[in-house]
Amino acid sequence: MYDLLKLLHLIAAIVWMGGMTFMLIALRPATLAVMEAQPRAVLMAAVWQRFFVAVLIAIVVLLATGGYMFGGSMKAAREATGHGVVPLGWTVMTALGGLMFLIFGHIYFAGFAKFRRAVAAAQWPVAAKAAGQIHLLVVTNFVLGWAAIAAVKLLA
Ligand code: HEM
């Protein structure tokens, strides 16, 4: 059971981190290089609409599986030794993961909502500003995600 949850956790992390990697190193620079601003904004609205739903699902899976692994292991440690101690890397992952979820909430419910409204209303400067904010927050989550993974793998 634990191994299955860990596999689901890993799959959700790969979907989210892989999607951000593709967006940042391929999709964004390529569309900036070959597309005009307006069709690019329309394309990004359609791309983000799909990718962000996948991220929402990944977050539910990461939270449920991560919470179960963290909570279950702490309980088992408390029962065995009297102390509910887990590796430092797990605590760092939980803290950084929580921060990533909050930042994504801001991306989706604030930045993307604004971007979509601006594209629908053909307010291109507003859309460009919202897209810039989304980009900065995605870069932040990209860095935090790798830091969380490094922490869980490297910190005892
Ligand atoms: C509340 C948020 C989170 C919690 C509570 C959590 C909890 C955990 C725990 C307890 C483990 C260790 C499992 C073990 O070694 O037996 C783990 C591993 C891992 N987590 Fe998280 N996590 C969270 C968020 C994230 C996020 C946001 C990502 C990346 C996007 C992520 C990616 C991973 C990866 C790649 C592993 C390593 C799996 C392996 O060893 O193969 N986690 N997580």
Side-chain angles (χ1 to χ4, degrees):
M1 178 70 172
Y2 189 95
D3 287 346
L4 186 64
L5 291 177
K6 195 159 149 178
L7 175 64
L8 285 174
H9 194 80
L10 194 57
I11 290 170
I14 289 169
V15 167
W16 191 1
M17 297 304 298
M20 286 196 289
T21 305
F22 170 70
M23 240 166 71
L24 294 175
I25 73 167
L27 183 64
R28 184 170 190 272
T31 56
L32 276 171
V34 303
M35 290 181 83
E36 299 294 332
Q38 295 179 11
R40 179 172 177 272
V42 174
L43 172 74
M44 289 314 293
V47 168
W48 278 335
Q49 173 61 50
R50 287 161 180 80
F51 177 57
F52 289 164
V53 170
V55 175
L56 280 172
I57 296 168
I59 286 176
V60 171
V61 173
L62 283 166
L63 245 180
T65 55
Y68 187 93
M69 291 189 296
F70 191 98
S73 300
M74 211 156 102
K75 187 162 166 268
R78 194 179 303 118
E79 278 162 13
T81 64
H83 305 286
V85 179
V86 291
L88 173 64
W90 290 26
T91 308
V92 174
M93 158 155 285
T94 305
L96 294 180
L99 193 56
M100 289 174 73
F101 301 157
L102 291 176
I103 290 173
F104 181 75
H106 196 72
I107 291 175
Y108 190 75
F109 295 107
F112 182 54
K114 196 165 154 202
F115 177 74
R116 213 169 21 178
R117 274 198 307 274
V119 170
Q123 293 174 333
W124 306 114
V126 180
K129 195 161 169 242
Q133 284 163 352
I134 292 172
H135 171 66
L136 274 182
L137 292 174
V138 170
V139 170
T140 307
N141 262 353
F142 186 68
V143 173
L144 291 175
W146 291 121
I149 292 171
V152 89
K153 285 299 192 185
L154 300 178
L155 297 179

